[in-house]
Amino acid sequence: LYMSVALLTETEVAQRLKVSLACLRRWRLENRGPSFLKVGSLVRYPVDELDSWLRSLPRKGPSGSNPPPSAVARSA
């Protein structure tokens, strides 16, 4: 059975996450970033895996220890 999987390049993922390509590669070497596939020598990131990884990240909100951005801007 053939399944179509949407894949992103390293550059596309780095742009989406607004991190450098070097940062994304470091995460991969440290097993800290999103799941990836090797297609020959190429690295590809399944879109659904990236979305799942993003959802799994811890979130901070008004109830967390970080003040809201508007409070930070006023104190600067």
Side-chain angles (χ1 to χ4, degrees), residues 30-62:
E30 296 171 353
N31 292 317
R32 290 178 40 199
S35 296
F36 63 94
L37 300 172
K38 289 288 282 193
V39 181
S41 62
L42 304 173
V43 174
R44 295 294 182 259
Y45 291 83
V47 172
D48 56 347
E49 292 287 335
L50 177 61
D51 292 342
S52 178
W53 178 76
L54 285 170
R55 283 191 301 274
S56 75
L57 295 175
R59 300 185 189 278
K60 294 241 179 181

Side-chain angles (χ1 to χ4, degrees), residues 21-34:
L21 193 53
C23 178
L24 184 63
R25 288 175 175 167
R26 186 174 60 251
W27 288 350
R28 192 169 64 240
L29 290 172
E30 296 171 353
N31 292 317
R32 290 178 40 199

